[in-house]
């Protein structure tokens, strides 16, 4: 009853603002992952933030990354002035649009107005930092505790001593809450008190804090998540009580997200508690950070990369969600609100998000379903690949008609029940009509049909039956009971008729050469194909929904506006070419496969709830058009990211400033971006250069503009971004600049220059002719020298890029590249591969007790020990900081452990006092995993990392296997 009461409290909290909102199950979200191979500097995503300008920021151990939706821009010590270390731990946006960053060696910096303002460093690694209402800073420091730094002060005042502080938070009453290794501290007037078990919290470390929109305090601890209500903390959910909660998030629905140390992500909503872990798509189960952006995507920072969940326009149903097979050929919207899915492995019914299997098999094997039809009584007819026509009654499949009792072929791709209640069956060997009395009428290519291969059957508004075949289209006239051919013009080169759609004026046909429009009154035919701008020739199904046509193809789903298509075709008949505007949706929009299947009917359909369903090679995909409309209504910031003059980057001006450029400007370049993370590849841009042109120039998807040889004068460059098929938002960004006039641009100088040119031209000509060979030889020599210098420089850069400067060992990039290149080879050759991650124990004590210089010497000494044991194909690399990685080809984890134990003992027995007096012993911990039962190297790394974590927790100076 206690837990039920807690859930009721959350239900009231959530439903007050989300009653009208719907939620997707976690399995319906579209997943994307980024890591070092995608441009991130490191795979541990320690913190995430979105600033007011719309950028997404990612803190890692190797620097800061800024994401604009298409690429990452990196900021390290080289770009951030006076930062003591590139390793970053915390990001905190400020109310005035800035971003606080803090990191490994206590470094703190504020990014604002495109500038870095580095603050005095703290005494230890900063796990979190906030700016309080009094403009002071609260710092959560590793091992040192909680500190307060007053506004304009360089002194840090200790509030909580000698603990590891992980996060700080200020509530509406000005109370500071601090999550620490001792538990939760409440700080009032800079006086701290520890929250104890009497207040409802377990005796455990608290890792994270969250203040909900309703002002409720939630804490994530080593033993679950708790909410503060009436001065007492209560467990949020019993299933979370055993979990170590590392991060918290409240989304726009009011749902709570919980990141854990080793169980992935949980979401608590009015629909219950759901879990997403590495088995469900996460890069790793260790969660370091959570964020929801302005477009409502959920970003998850793990120790193996950046992960995003978003409500994509398409969601997929596959065998993982209960379908009989993934290769889907037909989908039917039933009048009872269910959706029927026919695949190569059987038939399913989806209703209320539940999948049921329709019973029935042929000789123990499932039927391969090609076509579906709802009968007059609600029963479902099935066309199969090898078993003819079946019928479903009471959720059971029974045979109906096949070759043994009159059907031309058992391969049935089209079914139709006409207005006279006659069943039409299109097979691979002609057309069969079943009369109301059960008698059969056969139509074949020998008489009535251009081809016996029937692909589609449909009835128009007058009751005529349209038949799509492998060699054109024919129509059965309901009045004359005669067939007539609809001839495709020879210049269209079309043969297959895959699908039909009828309106008052036209019949629309999908073919192997595009979309055909047949005009009823005049019998004229027009085609929308590649020449008019379609990306593919072959279209399978046409679905009309509101103002759009949705066309299925082997490269995805194409959306076009119906009025626009008619306009393009009408103008084409007048020999006027209008560019076709369309959108192509594929895997990037949530489809598991862009191969949308056709040649069966119906292969796409509109459901009662407005969703559009498509049969694909990897399940059935459901499209929610309203998600596309909602996405385009989100504010779209436009940013000018760089400004180059004559090929050299120029600092971007602050708002209101004008850039003064010298007279010798020959080339100006601008790079810009629209900050949409849902559809960055689909954004369109327009630019305008006031002083040069007055009209907006369409740049389509190009994110750069360049101008050459502009005359002296005043200019304003403007750019704006827009979502597909929408009006432009008021999101213009601009740069004002002035190109100064050079003295030689004056008329008097030009006249003098021209006269001088006439006088000297002959002498110059003779001089150039005389010295031509000498200059040519000199230039050749210089080119050869420069080429040699560039090659030497390139070789040096290539070596530096893959080697650690301190130890001269391969670095993380080299190790990742080797593992990415060789892991698949080892798996394919059934060879075993083991790796180990080694971490120097208590290395911070060495740095703090002796110095960072001594620490660097210790690292070098240990690197020397590791390299001395590297034999044959065995690899060793510096992973970063005090971590190293070792590769043991053809070794199991147990064998690798023995080798690691030798290394560990040698390190432990080494006398480090030669480096620094009193430093007698340094130990190390190893985590080992191998490729057995692992399909990708990210999991191999994750296993070694978990084993190392186990070794650390087990007392250090030991080797563990995961």
């Amino acid at each position: 009853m206690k837990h039920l009461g807690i859930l009721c409290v959350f239900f009231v909290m959530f439903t007050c603002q989300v009653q009208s909102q719907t939620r997707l199950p976690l399995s319906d979200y579209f997943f994307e992952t980024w890591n070092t191979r995608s441009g991130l500097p490191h795979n541990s995503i320690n913190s995430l933030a979105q600033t007011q300008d719309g950028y997404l920021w990612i803190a890692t151990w190797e620097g800061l990354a800024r994401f604009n939706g298409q690429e990452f821009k990196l900021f390290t010590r080289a770009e951030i002035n006076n930062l003591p270390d590139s390793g970053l731990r915390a990001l905190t946006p400020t109310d005035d649009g800035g971003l606080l960053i803090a990191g490994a060696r206590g470094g703190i910096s504020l990014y604002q107005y495109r500038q870095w303002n580095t603050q005095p460093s703290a005494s230890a690694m900063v796990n979190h930092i906030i700016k309080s209402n009094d403009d002071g800073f609260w710092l959560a420091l590793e091992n040192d505790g909680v500190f307060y730094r007053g506004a304009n002060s360089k002194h840090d005042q200790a509030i909580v001593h000698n603990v590891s502080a992980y996060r700080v938070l200020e509530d509406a009453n000005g109370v500071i809450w601090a999550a620490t290794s001792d538990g939760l501290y409440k700080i009032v007037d800079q006086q701290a008190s520890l929250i104890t078990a009497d207040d409802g919290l377990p005796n455990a470390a608290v890792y994270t804090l969250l203040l909900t929109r309703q002002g409720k305090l939630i804490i994530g601890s080593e033993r679950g998540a708790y909410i503060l209500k009436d001065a007492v903390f209560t467990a949020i959910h019993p299933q979370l009580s055993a979990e170590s909660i590392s991060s918290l998030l409240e989304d726009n629905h009011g749902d709570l997200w919980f990141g854990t140390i080793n169980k992935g992500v949980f979401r608590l909503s009015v629909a219950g508690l759901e879990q997403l872990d590495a088995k469900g798509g996460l890069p790793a189960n260790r969660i370091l950070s959570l964020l929801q952006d302005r477009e409502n995507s959920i970003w998850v920072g793990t120790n193996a990369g950046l992960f995003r969940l978003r409500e994509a326009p398409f969601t997929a149903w596959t065998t993982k969600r209960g379908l009989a097979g993934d290769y889907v050929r037909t989908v039917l919207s039933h009048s009872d609100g269910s959706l029927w899915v026919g695949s190569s492995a059987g038939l399913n019914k989806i209703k209320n998000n539940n999948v049921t299997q329709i019973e029935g098999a042929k000789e123990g094997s499932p039927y391969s379903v090609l076509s579906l039809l709802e009968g007059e009584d609600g029963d479902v007819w099935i066309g199969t690949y090898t078993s003819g026509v079946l019928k479903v009654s009471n959720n059971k499949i029974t045979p109906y008609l096949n070759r043994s009792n009159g059907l031309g072929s058992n391969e049935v791709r089209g079914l139709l029940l006409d207005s006279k209640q006659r069943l039409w069956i299109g097979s691979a060997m002609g057309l069969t009509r079943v009369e109301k009395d059960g008698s059969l009428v056969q139509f074949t290519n020998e008489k009535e049909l251009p081809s016996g291969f029937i692909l589609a059957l449909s009835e128009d508004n007058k009751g005529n039956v349209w038949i799509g075949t492998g060699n054109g289209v024919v129509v059965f006239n309901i009045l004359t009971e005669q067939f007539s051919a609809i001839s495709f013009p020879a210049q269209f080169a079309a043969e297959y008729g895959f699908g039909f759609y009828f309106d008052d004026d036209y019949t629309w046909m999908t073919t192997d050469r595009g979309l055909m429009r047949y005009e009823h009154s005049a019998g004229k035919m027009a085609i929308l194909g590649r020449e008019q701008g379609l990306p593919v020739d072959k279209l399978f199904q046409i679905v009309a929904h509101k103002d759009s046509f949705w066309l299925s193809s082997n490269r995805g789903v194409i959306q076009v506006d119906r009025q626009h298509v008619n306009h393009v075709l009408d103008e084409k008949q007048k020999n006027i070419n209008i560019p076709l505007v369309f959108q192509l949706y594929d895997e990037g929009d949530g489809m598991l496969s862009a191969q949308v299947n056709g040649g069966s009917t119906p292969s796409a359909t509109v459901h009662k709830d407005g969703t559009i369903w498509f049969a694909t090679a990897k399940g059935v995909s459901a499209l929610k058009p309203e998600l596309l409309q909602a996405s385009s209504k989100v504010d779209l910031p436009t940013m000018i990211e760089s400004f180059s003059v004559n090929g050299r980057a120029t600092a971007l001006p602050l708002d209101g400033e004008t850039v003064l450029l010298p007279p010798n400007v020959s080339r100006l370049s601008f790079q810009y971006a629209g900050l949409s993370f849902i559809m960055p590849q689909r954004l369109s841009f327009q630019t305008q250069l006031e002083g040069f042109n007055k009209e907006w120039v369409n740049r389509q998807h190009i994110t750069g503009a360049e101008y050459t040889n502009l005359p002296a004068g005043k200019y304003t460059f403007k750019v704006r971004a827009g979502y597909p098929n929408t009006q432009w938002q008021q999101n213009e960004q601009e740069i004002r600049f002035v190109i100064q006039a050079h003295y030689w641009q004056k008329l008097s100088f030009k006249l003098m220059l021209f006269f001088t040119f006439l006088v000297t031209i002959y002498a110059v000509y003779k001089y150039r002719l005389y010295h031509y060979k000498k200059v040519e030889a000199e230039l050749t020599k210089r080119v050869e020298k420069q080429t040699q210098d560039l090659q030497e420089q390139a070789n040096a850069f290539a070596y530096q890029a893959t080697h650690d400067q301190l130890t001269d060992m391969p670095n993380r990039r080299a190790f990742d590249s080797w593992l990415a290149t060789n892991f698949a080879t080892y798996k394919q050759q059934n060879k075993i591969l083991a790796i180990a991650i080694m971490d120097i124990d208590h290395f911070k004590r060495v740095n703090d007790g002796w110095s960072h210089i001594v620490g660097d010497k210790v690292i070098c000494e240990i690197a020397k020990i590791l390299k001395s044991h590297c034999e044959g194909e065995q690899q060793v690399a510096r992973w970063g900081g005090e971590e190293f990685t070792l590769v043991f080809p053809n070794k199991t984890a147990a064998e690798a452990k023995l080798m690691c134990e030798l290394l560990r003992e040698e390190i432990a027995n080494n006398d480090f006092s030669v480096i620094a007096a009193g430093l007698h012993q340094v130990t190390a911990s190893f985590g080992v995993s191998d490729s057995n039962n692992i399909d990708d190297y990210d999991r191999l790394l994750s296993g070694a990392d978990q084993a190392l974590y186990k070794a650390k927790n087990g007392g250090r100076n030991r080797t563990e296997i995961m």
Side-chain angles (χ1 to χ4, degrees):
M1 291 298 293
K2 178 180 178 181
H3 294 307
L4 179 61
I6 297 168
L7 290 177
C8 289
V9 170
F10 271 94
F11 182 85
V12 172
M13 290 168 56
F14 296 154
T15 54
C16 65
Q17 66 176 15
V18 300
Q19 289 177 351
S20 63
Q21 299 176 349
T22 59
R23 290 167 183 75
L24 284 179
L26 288 184
S27 57
D28 275 6
Y29 278 87
F30 180 59
F31 299 162
E32 291 174 281
T33 301
W34 293 265
N35 51 35
T36 52
R37 297 188 303 277
S38 312
L40 283 171
H42 195 279
N43 282 335
S44 289
I45 312 302
N46 295 325
S47 186
L48 295 165
Q50 188 173 31
T51 45
Q52 290 181 7
D53 55 16
Y55 279 114
L56 186 72
W57 298 81
I58 303 102
T60 78
W61 292 123
E62 293 295 338
L64 181 67
R66 187 183 72 188
F67 191 41
N68 64 9
Q70 297 196 55
E71 61 182 0
F72 295 94
K73 178 176 176 56
L74 306 185
F75 298 87
T76 62
R77 291 180 59 205
E79 292 81 18
I80 305 175
N81 301 330
N82 301 318
L83 194 69
D85 192 87
S86 292
L88 297 179
R89 186 71 179 85
L91 300 175
T92 307
T94 62
D95 293 337
D96 55 0
L99 179 69
L100 284 167
I101 70 165
R105 295 188 181 181
I108 301 170
S109 191
L110 173 65
Y111 181 73
Q112 199 165 29
Y113 309 121
R114 304 192 190 101
Q115 295 180 346
W116 293 102
N117 182 12
T118 303
Q119 309 293 315
S121 294
S123 58
M125 180 170 71
V126 183
N127 286 323
H128 193 224
I129 180 172
I130 64 169
K131 188 176 184 180
S132 55
N133 292 331
D134 61 0
D135 291 331
F137 292 105
W138 287 88
L139 311 176
L141 304 186
E142 185 76 18
N143 293 329
D144 282 11
V146 180
F147 288 76
Y148 173 74
R149 180 182 297 182
N152 302 319
S153 173
K154 298 181 179 180
H155 173 69
D156 293 340
Q157 177 184 352
I159 305 299
V160 179
H161 303 267
N162 300 324
V163 298
S164 285
Y166 306 113
R167 198 165 185 87
V168 285
L169 180 150
E170 183 177 22
D171 65 18
N173 299 318
V175 176
I176 302 297
W177 299 88
T180 76
S181 56
D182 279 354
L184 179 67
Y185 279 91
K186 181 179 181 180
I187 304 172
V188 179
D189 295 331
Q190 301 185 12
Q191 298 298 315
S193 59
L194 181 65
I195 304 300
T196 66
D198 295 337
D199 302 298
L201 288 184
N203 184 20
V206 175
Y207 296 128
T208 186
L209 305 168
L210 172 68
L211 199 64
T212 69
R213 295 181 180 89
Q214 290 77 29
K216 300 292 185 180
L217 177 65
I218 298 177
I219 69 104
S221 76
E222 192 175 23
R223 292 167 54 190
Y226 297 81
I227 184 170
L228 178 61
K229 189 175 183 296
D230 298 329
V232 176
F233 284 92
T234 309
I236 288 179
H237 195 280
Q239 188 175 336
L240 296 173
S241 297
E243 305 301 337
S244 294
I245 309 299
S246 56
S247 49
L248 293 167
L249 171 69
E250 181 189 21
D251 67 18
N252 65 314
H253 291 299
D255 299 342
L256 294 177
W257 296 70
F258 305 88
T260 67
I261 295 294
N262 56 11
K263 293 292 183 62
V265 173
F266 291 86
R267 181 180 71 174
L268 179 63
S269 70
V270 293
L273 187 69
E274 300 170 273
Q275 182 183 10
L276 180 66
D277 57 15
K279 294 180 180 178
L282 278 175
N285 284 330
R286 186 174 183 181
I287 310 303
L288 305 176
S289 49
L290 292 169
L291 173 74
Q292 184 176 40
D293 66 20
R294 297 178 186 176
E295 296 169 306
N296 298 327
S297 294
I298 303 295
W299 297 82
V300 183
T302 76
N303 65 337
L306 179 63
F307 182 79
R308 176 173 69 173
L309 304 94
R310 65 179 173 93
E311 296 187 17
F314 289 85
T315 55
W317 292 74
T318 64
T319 53
K320 291 183 178 179
R321 299 184 66 179
L323 290 188
D326 283 338
Y327 198 83
V328 177
R329 299 303 299 264
T330 180
V331 57
L332 172 70
S333 179
H334 199 281
S335 59
D336 66 1
S338 63
L339 194 96
W340 294 66
V341 181
S343 71
S344 60
L347 181 63
N348 296 96
K349 182 171 69 172
I350 302 174
K351 191 170 185 180
N352 299 326
N353 275 332
N354 293 317
V355 180
T356 56
Q357 181 85 22
I358 306 301
E359 296 181 4
K362 179 184 179 182
E363 299 175 355
S365 298
Y367 291 109
S368 180
V369 180
L370 289 180
S371 54
L372 292 169
L373 171 69
E374 181 180 358
E376 186 181 20
D377 54 0
D379 289 345
V380 174
W381 301 87
I382 308 171
T384 69
Y385 206 151
T386 59
S387 303
V389 179
L390 314 172
K391 192 173 183 180
V392 179
S393 297
N394 298 322
N395 286 331
K396 290 187 178 180
I397 297 176
T398 57
Y400 175 73
L401 190 66
N402 52 49
R403 288 182 61 187
S404 65
N405 54 2
L407 193 61
S409 169
N410 283 337
E411 181 180 338
V412 178
R413 294 178 177 270
L415 294 168
L416 171 68
L417 193 64
D418 68 16
S419 53
K420 294 184 178 182
Q421 300 306 308
R422 298 178 296 186
L423 178 63
W424 296 72
I425 303 171
S427 73
M429 294 295 291
L431 185 61
T432 301
R433 188 175 70 199
V434 183
E435 303 296 321
K436 294 188 70 173
D437 61 4
S439 61
L440 304 180
V441 181
Q442 304 287 354
F443 307 100
T444 68
N445 59 330
E446 295 180 357
K447 185 177 180 182
E448 298 90 356
L449 305 174
S451 169
F453 191 59
I454 309 301
L455 296 167
L457 296 168
S458 190
E459 187 177 45
D460 66 18
N461 301 333
K462 296 180 180 180
N464 301 316
V465 177
W466 292 66
I467 303 104
T469 79
N471 189 27
V473 171
V474 292
V475 180
F476 179 79
N477 190 294
I478 195 70
L479 299 177
T480 65
E481 297 277 319
Q482 297 294 319
F483 288 89
S484 59
I486 303 297
S487 299
F488 294 152
Q491 64 269 25
F492 292 173
E495 293 184 358
Y496 288 80
F498 291 111
F500 303 99
Y501 172 74
F502 309 101
D503 59 29
D504 294 337
D505 301 315
Y506 306 107
T507 294
W508 299 85
M509 296 172 277
T510 48
T511 76
D512 57 340
R513 285 296 183 269
L515 180 64
M516 298 281 190
R517 186 186 72 177
Y518 177 76
E519 188 176 354
H520 298 154
S521 59
K524 294 181 179 179
M525 193 173 292
I527 186 170
L528 185 75
R530 277 187 176 270
E531 291 184 357
Q532 289 71 40
L534 279 181
V536 293
D537 280 323
K538 189 180 295 183
L539 301 176
F540 294 128
Q541 190 88 29
I542 175 171
V543 175
H545 182 63
K546 296 184 178 180
D547 297 328
S548 294
F549 281 149
W550 299 85
L551 310 172
S552 63
S553 77
N554 275 326
R555 284 182 53 191
V557 176
I558 302 168
Q559 178 195 11
V560 289
D561 181 79
R562 296 172 63 174
Q563 291 186 354
H564 175 65
V565 170
N566 276 316
H567 179 60
V568 170
L569 294 179
D570 291 343
E571 294 300 304
K572 179 64 175 178
Q573 292 178 347
K574 303 175 186 176
N575 293 321
I576 300 174
N577 293 321
I578 302 296
L580 179 66
V581 178
F582 68 92
Q583 293 298 322
L584 176 64
Y585 300 97
D586 51 24
E587 287 93 340
D589 303 288
M591 301 180 69
L592 296 183
S593 172
Q595 180 183 329
V596 184
N597 289 325
S600 301
T601 54
S603 58
T605 187
V606 179
H607 202 33
K608 280 189 172 182
D609 59 3
T611 56
I612 307 174
W613 294 73
F614 297 91
T616 81
K618 289 187 179 179
V620 59
S621 287
L623 165 68
K624 297 183 178 180
E626 65 273 10
L627 282 181
L628 294 174
Q629 298 175 359
S631 297
S632 63
K633 293 179 181 178
V634 177
D635 288 341
L636 174 61
T638 306
M639 300 299 294
I640 300 175
E641 297 194 322
S642 66
F643 172 37
S644 298
V645 179
N646 292 340
R648 299 183 63 181
T650 300
L652 292 171
L654 300 178
D655 293 341
E657 290 185 348
T658 299
V659 180
L660 195 62
L661 300 179
N664 59 341
V665 172
S666 61
R667 180 163 57 94
L668 297 176
S669 301
F670 302 87
Q671 295 294 322
Y672 42 81
L675 300 186
S676 169
F677 302 104
I678 289 182
M679 52 178 82
Q681 304 295 338
R682 303 189 189 280
L683 296 182
S684 297
F685 297 92
Q686 285 186 334
T687 62
Q688 183 186 74
L689 185 61
E690 289 185 358
F692 179 73
N693 62 342
K694 296 182 179 180
E695 303 296 329
W696 286 96
V697 177
N698 289 320
R699 299 286 180 176
Q700 304 301 330
H701 306 309
I702 299 174
T703 57
E706 186 171 293
Y707 302 89
T708 58
N709 301 318
L710 291 173
K714 296 181 179 180
Y715 300 92
T716 301
F717 173 78
K718 296 181 178 181
V719 61
R720 62 186 181 187
Y723 290 110
N725 303 324
T726 61
Q727 298 294 324
W728 295 96
Q729 297 184 11
Q730 298 301 314
N731 57 10
E732 300 172 8
Q733 290 291 311
E734 64 179 40
I735 290 180
R736 295 199 297 264
F737 60 94
V738 174
I739 300 177
Q740 301 179 79
H742 209 289
Y743 71 91
W744 47 260
Q745 291 177 309
K746 298 178 181 180
L747 180 61
S748 58
F749 180 81
K750 292 178 181 179
L751 291 174
M752 183 185 66
L753 184 63
F754 180 70
F755 178 76
T756 304
F757 175 76
L758 292 177
V759 172
T760 60
I761 188 170
Y762 181 75
V764 171
Y765 168 75
K766 295 293 289 182
Y767 174 80
R768 287 180 60 83
L769 190 63
Y770 176 80
H771 291 282
Y772 176 81
K773 289 187 178 181
K774 181 179 180 181
V775 171
E776 181 183 26
E778 181 179 355
L779 288 175
T780 301
K781 183 178 180 180
R782 290 173 61 186
V783 167
E784 291 175 350
K785 180 63 169 63
Q786 291 176 356
T787 301
Q788 181 181 357
D789 293 341
L790 288 173
Q791 183 61 48
E792 292 175 356
Q793 187 179 31
N795 293 339
F797 286 161
Y799 185 87
Q800 293 174 4
T802 58
H803 284 74
D804 177 53
Q805 293 183 357
L806 179 63
T807 63
D808 200 34
M809 297 175 70
N811 61 13
R812 185 189 188 103
R813 177 179 294 176
F815 176 82
D816 285 347
S817 176
W818 186 94
L819 193 56
T821 301
N822 291 278
F823 182 84
T825 302
Y826 273 81
K827 295 297 288 185
Q828 291 171 0
Q829 296 177 356
N830 292 323
K831 293 182 179 180
I832 193 70
L833 177 68
I835 69 166
I837 301 178
M838 189 215 82
D839 184 84
I840 303 174
D841 295 331
H842 303 296
F843 186 69
K844 186 175 182 302
R845 297 178 183 174
V846 176
N847 283 339
D848 294 347
W850 281 271
S851 71
H852 287 284
I853 294 176
V854 171
D856 288 345
K857 291 181 178 180
V858 169
I859 288 174
C860 291
E861 179 66 20
I862 291 178
K864 181 178 178 182
I865 294 172
L866 295 177
K867 285 192 287 187
S868 67
H869 288 269
C870 184
E871 299 177 355
E873 294 182 353
Q874 186 176 336
Q875 302 283 330
V876 61
R878 187 181 180 192
W879 189 248
E882 62 269 26
E883 290 185 330
F884 295 82
T885 54
L886 300 95
V887 178
F888 302 97
N890 304 314
K891 301 290 185 182
T892 65
E895 292 170 338
K897 179 180 179 181
L898 296 176
M899 301 176 72
C900 290
E901 278 294 290
L902 294 175
L903 290 170
R904 182 188 63 76
E905 292 175 1
E906 183 169 346
I907 293 171
N909 295 331
N910 189 70
D911 187 4
F912 288 87
S913 61
V914 296
I915 296 176
L919 182 61
H920 296 291
Q921 184 184 45
V922 175
T923 65
S925 300
F926 291 79
V928 182
S929 68
D930 63 31
S931 58
N932 273 331
N933 302 319
I934 291 179
D935 294 326
D936 59 79
Y937 64 87
D938 285 333
R939 297 289 177 83
L940 183 63
L941 283 170
S942 178
D945 186 57
Q946 293 179 29
L948 178 61
Y949 185 80
K950 182 178 177 182
K952 289 292 187 180
N953 287 343
R956 295 182 170 84
N957 193 20
R958 60 193 297 151
T959 302
E960 294 288 349
I961 296 177
M962 181 54 65

